[in-house]
Amino acid sequence: LKVSNFSSNHFFNLQDVCSDKYPELVFTDSNKVSVFALNGKLLYDHTFNSVIDQQPSFYRFSASEQAIGITETATSRIFLIDSRGQVIKGFPLKGKTRFSIGYLRPGQEKFSLIVGGDEQYLYNYNLN
């Protein structure tokens, strides 16, 4: 199945990012993330300001909430993209590495996002 033309530097993932119990084809190439249904239909794409040179990450917050994590290394910004292709409120945040989201201690009510930054800093953001 050919869905589009991509450079040799693209990333590809097969992931359920729309919370419909079916995986989608997720391509990241240059400064764009494109999500296709299994039949090749474009569901959405999102264009960023700079090249995405790191593999995207995928997060599941609940049965109906998924997100794609994107890092713009050149601008030191990180993004979470929702299942409709929109940047989640509160993003972008400062950071320049792939990031991790989870609970740091039992009983914690908010997710923590941990990401590396400039000058070997480690950032810990609380997410709503």
Side-chain angles (χ1 to χ4, degrees), residues 1 3 12-15 23-27 34-38 40:
L1 175 66
V3 294
F12 168 74
N13 296 89
L14 186 64
Q15 203 74 22
E24 283 78 38
L25 310 169
V26 181
F27 291 90
S34 303
V35 176
F36 298 86
L38 286 176

Side-chain angles (χ1 to χ4, degrees), residues 24-121:
E24 283 78 38
L25 310 169
V26 181
F27 291 90
T28 309
D29 195 20
S30 184
N31 65 335
K32 185 186 274 188
V33 173
S34 303
V35 176
F36 298 86
L38 286 176
N39 65 5
K41 177 185 174 195
L42 178 65
L43 299 175
Y44 65 83
D45 58 19
H46 187 90
T47 303
F48 296 87
N49 291 333
S50 66
V51 171
I52 302 163
D53 60 358
Q54 297 184 50
Q55 182 81 250
S57 298
F58 299 90
Y59 304 97
R60 177 182 300 271
F61 300 108
S62 69
S64 62
E65 289 183 85
Q66 323 283 331
I68 302 172
I70 298 294
T71 303
E72 277 188 344
T73 307
T75 62
S76 296
R77 298 186 317 166
I78 59 171
F79 297 82
L80 271 183
I81 306 299
D82 68 18
S83 60
R84 296 173 311 283
Q86 302 298 310
V87 175
I88 292 176
K89 184 179 177 181
F91 285 84
L93 294 171
K94 189 173 183 177
K96 59 186 323 180
T97 64
R98 291 179 72 195
F99 47 96
S100 184
I101 300 174
Y103 295 114
L104 293 182
R105 60 185 171 277
Q108 186 174 337
E109 291 184 16
K110 294 183 179 183
F111 287 103
S112 291
L113 183 153
I114 307 293
V115 63
D118 293 321
E119 300 176 16
Q120 300 179 354
Y121 280 105

